[in-house]
Amino acid sequence: MKKQLKHLMVAAAAVMLFSAQALACGGKQCASESCDFKGAKAENCAKGYAKGSGYKKSAHHKIPGNSPAYIRKILKKADAIGLTDKQRKQVGELLVAAETGAAKAHAEAQIEVAEFRGKLHGGSLNDSDIKAYAKRMGELRAAKYEANLMASVKASRLLNDEQKSKLYAGKKTMGANK
């Protein structure tokens, strides 16, 4: 009996989870005109987020410093945007530099965490240790961000205006369809 009840509860939870979008959009393909959520954007509705749900991306996500994804995008679309061999080599070197800098910062952060954890569990932790740890972790995070951002900006500077427009061409046409 208990096993059946557990299965029933799991099934009910799954039904509620998967039917939320269909209920919100009246069973139709979710679009901003057809969505019953007042003022919900189509992409948020498709993800199950309604206006006022607390889901909001900041403008910070548009800055290419969190990862070397922008540089990888340039290399992935190298043929389509017409990169020269020299540009490919330079962008590749920038990717390696970004990944190396970020990896070094990450490794140093792991060491800091291990040392801090040792002090924490050893009972020899004081306020100055906590402040020093927080400051150092901030510095390492900034170093990782800087490595990725500097490489992304330098890679962008290597592209001419025509290459940049080709790189963003798909994004602009997608934005016009919203």
Side-chain angles (χ1 to χ4, degrees):
M1 180 70 179
K2 279 187 174 182
K3 192 173 187 178
Q4 288 176 339
L5 186 60
K6 282 183 183 178
H7 288 289
L8 183 62
M9 288 175 62
V10 169
V15 168
M16 289 185 342
L17 178 69
F18 293 121
S19 64
Q21 180 184 352
L23 291 173
C25 296
K28 298 178 262 182
Q29 179 69 24
C30 194
S32 58
E33 307 84 45
S34 65
C35 188
D36 289 339
F37 286 133
K38 293 180 183 173
K41 291 184 179 179
E43 68 271 8
N44 287 344
C45 185
K47 292 178 185 173
Y49 300 115
K51 182 177 180 183
S53 69
Y55 174 79
K56 183 179 176 184
K57 281 190 172 180
S58 68
H60 184 71
H61 78 279
K62 294 182 180 181
I63 298 174
N66 280 337
S67 72
Y70 177 73
I71 303 169
R72 287 190 191 105
K73 179 180 178 179
I74 293 172
L75 289 174
K76 183 178 178 183
K77 294 185 174 195
D79 292 332
I81 65 174
L83 283 186
T84 65
D85 290 338
K86 182 180 178 183
Q87 285 176 315
R88 284 178 201 247
K89 183 180 178 193
Q90 290 172 327
V91 172
E93 289 170 353
L94 289 170
L95 177 62
V96 170
E99 289 177 338
T100 302
K104 283 180 183 177
H106 180 75
E108 288 180 34
Q110 294 293 68
I111 293 168
E112 290 290 328
V113 168
E115 290 173 357
F116 184 76
R117 191 176 293 141
K119 289 180 181 179
L120 180 67
H121 295 301
S124 63
L125 193 65
N126 58 40
D127 290 349
S128 63
D129 291 335
I130 295 170
K131 289 178 182 179
Y133 172 75
K135 183 178 179 181
R136 181 66 179 142
M137 292 306 286
E139 291 169 356
L140 292 171
R141 185 172 183 172
K144 177 183 173 189
Y145 191 81
E146 181 182 346
N148 287 323
L149 185 58
M150 291 290 281
S152 295
V153 169
K154 286 178 182 179
S156 180
R157 289 179 184 157
L158 291 174
L159 304 178
N160 60 38
D161 291 338
E162 182 182 335
Q163 290 170 327
K164 287 179 186 177
S165 66
K166 287 180 183 178
L167 183 65
Y168 296 118
K171 195 173 207 175
K172 288 180 182 173
T173 56
M174 287 189 305
N177 294 336
K178 286 185 182 176

PDB file of all heavy atoms in Angstrom, residues 10 162-163:
ATOM      1  N   VAL A  10       4.332  10.414  -6.939  1.00  0.00           N
ATOM      2  CA  VAL A  10       5.321  10.766  -7.958  1.00  0.00           C
ATOM      3  C   VAL A  10       4.620  11.048  -9.283  1.00  0.00           C
ATOM      4  O   VAL A  10       4.926  12.023  -9.977  1.00  0.00           O
ATOM      5  CB  VAL A  10       6.384   9.654  -8.107  1.00  0.00           C
ATOM      6  CG1 VAL A  10       7.239   9.879  -9.334  1.00  0.00           C
ATOM      7  CG2 VAL A  10       7.234   9.571  -6.862  1.00  0.00           C
ATOM      8  N   GLU A 162      32.361  44.038 -41.062  1.00  0.00           N
ATOM      9  CA  GLU A 162      31.615  43.056 -41.858  1.00  0.00           C
ATOM     10  C   GLU A 162      31.578  41.704 -41.143  1.00  0.00           C
ATOM     11  O   GLU A 162      30.534  41.046 -41.088  1.00  0.00           O
ATOM     12  CB  GLU A 162      32.276  42.906 -43.234  1.00  0.00           C
ATOM     13  CG  GLU A 162      31.557  41.945 -44.150  1.00  0.00           C
ATOM     14  CD  GLU A 162      32.271  41.781 -45.484  1.00  0.00           C
ATOM     15  OE1 GLU A 162      33.013  42.692 -45.900  1.00  0.00           O
ATOM     16  OE2 GLU A 162      32.083  40.719 -46.111  1.00  0.00           O
ATOM     17  N   GLN A 163      32.700  41.306 -40.567  1.00  0.00           N
ATOM     18  CA  GLN A 163      32.749  40.036 -39.838  1.00  0.00           C
ATOM     19  C   GLN A 163      31.854  40.080 -38.605  1.00  0.00           C
ATOM     20  O   GLN A 163      31.170  39.114 -38.291  1.00  0.00           O
ATOM     21  CB  GLN A 163      34.188  39.705 -39.447  1.00  0.00           C
ATOM     22  CG  GLN A 163      35.064  39.348 -40.631  1.00  0.00           C
ATOM     23  CD  GLN A 163      36.534  39.256 -40.268  1.00  0.00           C
ATOM     24  OE1 GLN A 163      37.022  39.978 -39.399  1.00  0.00           O
ATOM     25  NE2 GLN A 163      37.255  38.386 -40.957  1.00  0.00           N
TER      26      GLN A 163
END
